[in-house]
Structures are given as structure tokens and as C-alpha cells.
Amino acid sequence: MSILIEALREEIGSWLATQSGLLTGERDMQVSLALWLEKSCRFSKIHTEYRVPLAELKARGVPVEPDHTLAKKWIPQPEFPWNNDVSVDIVAEMSGRFALVELKYATREINATETLFGELLRTDVSIIKNQAASNIVMYNYWKDVRRIEILARKYANVDGGIALIITNCCDYWKPSRPNAKYAPFSMHEDNTVGPGMLDWINASANNRKNYPPFLLSNAYVCRWKPTSITTLARNGDPFKAMLSIIEK
């Protein structure tokens, strides 16, 4: 593991250990972690929403095929399942080296009284909402991992990075049914995902069009750890975190 990724792993671990307050959303998570990394003074610079144009990746040999029905668009390929520019959540820089961080915050409604600006809500709305279906979040998490794999391969100064998810939904760490359509993307405890093609089981053509299969270069073992967030979901699930380290 490179010095940069090791430093990043340590600081993310420290942030998780001290993050007892409830995060309001994925952007809150991104800003909070970016500020922590910056204040650690271990990195020369912390970037957020780091944009990489798709055309630039294509010029570096990323295999994307032109879609002649859409101007300036490409057809997603298993090697690179995107047809738009890439925006990395956080990029840490150290001595001319770069490491990427991709984040997911998948929540269920919480079992606690919520406030805004220190005042109780006067309605029954919830600030912490139920997020998208867990199978789609799992799919997008591994796409984040793939994004880091590709960028590390195509840029000599990119060491790799870390994908991180925080959730209070047990669907993520409990085993899936063996015949579940999303089983290849399952993040349950001790599961190994990759290397090779990740594809839905018995999925419709429309499903594969919207969420195309893609490759992972490496194998990733799923390990979940408790967080310092004490608030529980309404069904009693705690907040847990899982991270994947991606190296060249």
C-alpha cells in the first residue's frame, strides 16, 4: 500500500471514530470528511468534485464506443460503464501523487427527534430520508470502485483510492438470497466481489440498459464496522461503515 493511501486510510478511520453526529446527507458527508483531511495537514491539497472529462479518458485509451444517435456521447462498455464525464468526490494530493475517495451514504429514517437550526420540526417530514433501493446503491458503490481502478490505471500519478459507504440499513451487511438479481453486487459481511464481470441475475434487457454490467479488475472482501453515530434507524439498525481499498 502506498504511503498516500495508507495516510488516507488512517485519516478516514480517525474521522469515522470521532464522527458521532448525524450526517444529513451525502454532501454533508463529503464536506465533513474533506475538511477533516485538510485539517490533518498530512496532504498537500484536498480537492472536491474533481472533474475528469470523458473525452480525455477516451484519448488515454479507455474503451468507449461512440453512439451516433447522441452528440458527444458514448455507449457504456463493460470496461468503463459510463457515458459522461467523471466527477470524483474527493482527491487527496501528496508530493505529486494522488488518491481518490468515493462516498456513499445510504440511509433509512431514524428513530430520533429531528431538528432544524436547533428547533424541533413542526411537521412530520424527516430530514434523514429513505434512500434509493439498496440494490442500486450496491451497484453504484462497485461502479465507484471501478472508477478508481480505471483512473489509477490511466494516470501514472494516481496511486488508487478508497471507496466508503455509511448506512443504517441491514440490507447491506446481511446475506442476499442466492438467486437475488443483485447477488453479484451484494456487499454482505465476508462476501468477496470481483475480479471479473458483475452482472445482474436474470435481469431484463431494460434493467441491463439502465444499469449495464461491468468488470472489476481486483477482488474486494466486504468488512463492516460500527460507527460512532449513536442514532438508530426506526427499525433499530445501527450505522455501520465499509471501505474498500483500491490499488494499482
Side-chain angles (χ1 to χ4, degrees), residues 157-179:
N157 293 330
V158 174
D159 288 351
I162 294 176
L164 170 67
I165 181 172
I166 298 176
T167 181
N168 62 345
C169 176
C170 66
D171 291 349
Y172 292 92
W173 58 79
K174 288 187 175 180
S176 63
R177 302 187 315 276
N179 62 342

Side-chain angles (χ1 to χ4, degrees), residues 27 36 50 58 103 116 119 126 141 160 178 189 210 218 233:
R27 184 58 57 86
W36 176 279
Y50 197 92
K58 184 173 183 288
L103 305 171
L116 279 175
E119 298 182 10
S126 179
Y141 177 87
E189 180 70 21
N210 293 327
N218 302 318

Side-chain angles (χ1 to χ4, degrees), residues 67-124:
D67 183 345
H68 299 293
T69 66
L70 297 170
K72 298 182 179 179
K73 291 290 185 178
W74 289 272
I75 301 171
Q77 301 293 307
E79 183 79 5
F80 188 75
W82 289 270
N83 62 358
N84 49 22
D85 296 345
V86 166
S87 182
V88 183
D89 289 333
I90 298 174
V91 173
E93 186 176 349
M94 176 192 287
S95 302
R97 308 296 301 176
F98 297 83
L100 288 54
V101 181
E102 292 284 12
L103 305 171
K104 287 285 178 285
Y105 187 57
T107 57
R108 292 293 182 264
E109 290 185 8
I110 61 172
N111 184 26
T113 301
E114 297 184 64
T115 63
L116 279 175
F117 305 109
E119 298 182 10
L120 294 176
L121 299 177
R122 296 181 179 180
T123 63
D124 60 357

